[in-house]
Amino acid sequence: MTIVHKHFEMGTAPYRYVGLWSAPSAALAETNPNAYNNALASAPACCRNSCDHCGTGINHHCIIQDATGKRFAIGSDCLGKIDEVENLSKAEVDRKAHQRKLRKARAEIKRQAKRDEAEADLQSQRDLNGGLTDWELRQQKRDAEVA
């Protein structure tokens, strides 16, 4: 059975879920153009930043393989619309793992920003106190009083 949707032909059913590929973000292009270009170069041949089922632009490409072995990249919404796709649970696992990876990366960026802010605060204290932080200065005064 060949599935046809408006202008796109999806090959012959049944389909098998193969994997997930996500396009690199535009922020990566700004900060590290070489890494962005390498990520785009490593994209599977079937991933063209639009859904092969409906033509909508997509960032997260669910790669499926038809009965003849040809691969197509479709969006996660269209993956749910095609009834003849095997292993949809694996697609959901991949999507959740990708989301988890993104959450961890955002959390690490927040932690690093907090560390940088704390270090900048300590450095400003050192600049004001002749190389000592406020805490070290209080300890030095306390030790002098005790002596």
Side-chain angles (χ1 to χ4, degrees):
M1 174 178 139
T2 300
I3 293 189
V4 178
H5 185 281
K6 294 184 183 174
H7 310 290
F8 303 94
E9 187 173 316
M10 290 283 299
T12 308
Y15 302 101
R16 185 174 59 87
Y17 175 78
V18 176
L20 177 75
W21 181 79
S22 294
S25 70
L28 183 61
E30 294 173 6
T31 57
N32 191 346
N34 288 334
Y36 179 79
N37 290 333
N38 288 340
L40 284 179
S42 70
C46 61
C47 298
R48 294 179 299 273
N49 293 328
S50 65
C51 177
D52 286 337
H53 183 255
C54 67
T56 303
I58 54 175
N59 285 329
H60 307 294
H61 301 73
C62 295
I63 302 169
I64 59 172
Q65 184 171 330
D66 72 353
T68 63
K70 188 173 180 187
R71 292 186 175 190
F72 301 92
I74 62 176
S76 56
D77 289 341
C78 286
L79 183 66
K81 293 176 188 175
I82 299 174
D83 295 332
E84 289 91 5
V85 177
E86 300 169 2
N87 303 325
L88 282 178
S89 59
K90 185 173 178 342
E92 187 64 20
V93 168
D94 282 353
R95 187 187 67 77
K96 286 182 179 180
H98 180 71
Q99 294 297 325
R100 188 178 318 112
K101 185 173 118 178
L102 291 177
R103 279 193 307 273
K104 283 184 179 182
R106 284 192 297 266
E108 181 57 35
I109 289 170
K110 281 184 179 179
R111 280 192 294 274
Q112 186 60 43
K114 203 171 199 178
R115 283 191 293 262
D116 292 345
E117 182 181 329
E119 186 57 39
D121 183 44
L122 290 175
Q123 187 58 45
S124 68
Q125 291 176 16
R126 288 183 187 109
D127 293 342
L128 291 173
N129 299 330
L132 299 175
T133 64
D134 291 345
W135 182 83
E136 293 168 340
L137 192 60
R138 283 194 304 270
Q139 291 299 316
Q140 191 178 41
K141 287 180 182 177
R142 186 184 64 83
D143 290 345
E145 288 176 0
V146 170

